[in-house]
Amino acid sequence: MLLSLATRSTTRVLVALAVLAVGACGPLGSPSPSTTGAPIPVLGAENFYADLLAQIGGSRVTVSSILSDPSADPHQYEASPAAAKLVADAKLVIVNGIGYDDFMQKLLGASTKPDRIVINVQDVLGVKDDVNVHVWYDPATMPQVADAATAALARLDPQNASYFADQKAKYLAALKPVNEKIATLRSKYSGSPIAFTENVAGYLTDAIGLKVLTPVSFMEAIESGTDPAPADVAAERDLLTGHKVKALMYNSQVTSPLTEQIRALAVTSNVPVVPVAETIPPSLGTFQEWQLAELDDLEKALAK
């Protein structure tokens, strides 16, 4: 299910207005950064963390990311010499942890820097290794990462601490339309049954209050790249052919012949398919735009 151009435009306007609202508040307006010194090279292992660094660091950073290919499986990524150089040059790095981007540990270990700051989101959240790795879909995650990134940037560039704080306020303001959309969907559709191919957006659907009927063992097998048990496949198919769910949330970035069959079955069964991804798609500029786009798709599906 693709967003219309009008919906994409509305999404960008909402985010832009939220940013402008914060930038305009206060009698003195937003502080301007000091131009002393070169911008700080920073890196987000995943492009949504890189986007956070770009929004908060503003003109005081140069940003790069490693996982940004919309057709690549992040779980099977193998580091390249180009990625190694990006990590070696970075003074601030954000990694997801929880086993999602373990390749970063090897890259960081190959180019030790005493002044490099590494933010491990798993440590920021204080979660164990057995949780759903896609923590950026939890509405509570990115504000905490924003706090850690702002503190790290202020440590690397103290004279621009107030600038980074103001940029963080803009970032959080741009998240408000996302949180408002989640609240709207929760008020209308809490308890609605849905299916997954893989538990990518589980934190998000939990926040909305949706009920995932797909067998957990089916989702775990898909994520690990193994074949689900025949009984689990049959149960998943029955959810669609029996019209027991209002939507199928489908990992559009990591696919297999089986998940493609499940998606096709949903289409022929007239069950709306809501694509979700593991990195920001090229067509959407920011994390906020990405999340709003997926929520808009979900809302359309649940409304049918």
Side-chain angles (χ1 to χ4, degrees), residues 9-47:
S9 298
T10 301
T11 294
R12 288 188 170 88
V13 169
L14 285 171
V15 173
L17 288 176
V19 171
L20 288 173
V22 172
C25 70
L28 298 179
S30 303
S32 298
S34 167
T35 56
T36 303
I40 305 165
V42 300
L43 180 142
E46 294 77 22
N47 68 356

Side-chain angles (χ1 to χ4, degrees), residues 257-269:
L258 177 57
T259 62
E260 286 293 310
Q261 292 170 17
I262 294 297
R263 183 195 63 78
L265 182 61
V267 172
T268 59
S269 302

Side-chain angles (χ1 to χ4, degrees), residues 93-112:
V93 175
I94 300 181
V95 300
N96 189 75
I98 325 177
Y100 188 76
D101 47 14
D102 281 347
F103 64 89
M104 286 296 299
Q105 299 310 311
K106 183 181 295 185
L107 292 175
L108 289 165
S111 60
T112 57

Side-chain angles (χ1 to χ4, degrees), residues 14-16 18-19 22 55 168-179 286 288-289 292:
L14 285 171
V15 173
V19 171
V22 172
Q55 291 191 52
K168 183 188 78 169
K170 295 178 182 179
Y171 180 86
L172 296 178
L175 285 174
K176 288 181 180 179
V178 178
N179 294 326
T286 67
Q288 294 93 333
E289 291 177 357
L292 274 173

Side-chain angles (χ1 to χ4, degrees), residues 113-202:
K113 275 187 176 181
D115 60 341
R116 177 194 290 137
I117 299 175
V118 178
I119 297 172
N120 186 313
V121 175
Q122 179 177 8
D123 294 338
V124 171
L125 302 178
V127 297
K128 297 181 179 180
D129 292 336
D130 58 354
V131 304
N132 182 348
V133 300
H134 309 95
V135 289
W136 58 92
Y137 270 103
D138 186 338
T141 292
M142 298 308 267
Q144 294 182 66
V145 180
D147 287 340
T150 303
L153 288 168
R155 178 178 164 189
L156 292 168
D157 189 4
Q159 63 184 333
N160 283 304
S162 61
Y163 172 72
F164 298 134
D166 186 72
Q167 292 293 108
K168 183 188 78 169
K170 295 178 182 179
Y171 180 86
L172 296 178
L175 285 174
K176 288 181 180 179
V178 178
N179 294 326
E180 290 169 356
K181 176 68 76 173
I182 291 170
T184 297
L185 295 182
R186 183 171 59 244
S187 68
K188 291 182 178 180
Y189 302 111
S190 179
S192 296
I194 61 169
F196 281 165
T197 55
E198 184 180 340
N199 190 6
V200 174

